Amino acid sequence: MAEPGREALVRALTEEAIPGWAIRVVQLNSVVAARLGVTDTDVQCLHVLGRHGPATPGALAEQVNLTTGSASRMVDRLVAAGCVRRVADPGDRRRVLVEPTEEGLERVTAAYAGLVERTREELADLDEDTLAALLRFVRAAEHGTVEEARGGAHR
């Protein structure tokens, strides 16, 4: 008897709640991009740099699903906006790395501060087991989304 209830919950999550949330995140990213004076993809780049540190323009292109030419223009926009800078790769002075500026990180952090605070409030009443389950799910969902974006839908 528990299975129909479980299936209804899975359906509500996969067909309603998660897609609706994903759309709202895309919309929020557009608002943040406009505030920063950059594009939505540029905001993705800032997240990648904030999460993983400096990267080559080619690696950024792969992470945000752009051609190398488009990534070069993206970096130009982010440099002009004061969000990133180009630096010599300490391991190979012939290569250039893109790294976030302190100002860029502060601006993007401030842009999402309201959402972070709301999310913390929404999580406040959940116990550690539930939080751990949510964390496992979100990490698995991120991994699955990356795989789909890389062509996993066309296996």
Side-chain angles (χ1 to χ4, degrees):
M1 197 61 136
E3 203 57 35
R6 183 183 191 289
E7 184 54 37
L9 289 169
V10 169
R11 190 172 36 260
L13 281 164
T14 59
E15 296 175 13
E16 299 167 23
I18 293 171
W21 181 30
I23 289 167
R24 299 300 184 220
V25 169
V26 169
Q27 291 170 339
L28 176 61
N29 287 346
S30 292
V31 169
V32 169
R35 286 182 194 157
L36 297 177
V38 297
T39 70
D40 296 17
T41 304
D42 299 349
V43 172
Q44 291 177 40
C45 176
L46 289 171
H47 281 290
V48 169
L49 291 171
R51 192 171 178 187
H52 302 291
T56 64
L60 288 173
E62 186 176 313
Q63 287 284 321
V64 298
N65 202 24
L66 292 176
T67 65
T68 54
S70 293
S72 180
R73 289 186 294 280
M74 172 185 67
V75 171
D76 289 344
R77 285 189 304 273
L78 288 168
V79 167
C83 294
V84 303
R85 66 179 154 256
R86 292 179 177 93
V87 297
D89 183 339
D92 181 350
R93 302 295 251 160
R94 297 167 295 176
R95 289 184 355 158
V96 171
L97 294 176
V98 178
E99 70 177 12
T101 63
E102 190 68 32
E103 176 191 355
L105 290 176
E106 287 172 5
R107 288 172 64 199
V108 79
T109 298
Y112 288 97
L115 177 62
V116 169
E117 183 57 33
R118 285 175 189 258
T119 303
R120 292 183 72 81
E121 289 170 8
E122 291 160 356
L123 296 172
D125 292 335
L126 301 180
D127 63 37
E128 284 186 35
D129 289 342
T130 303
L131 290 170
L134 281 169
L135 182 58
R136 281 192 311 274
F137 166 75
V138 170
R139 286 181 173 159
E142 179 185 9
H143 177 75
T145 303
V146 167
E147 291 302 313
E148 286 298 310
R150 290 183 177 154
H154 304 292
R155 288 179 273 254

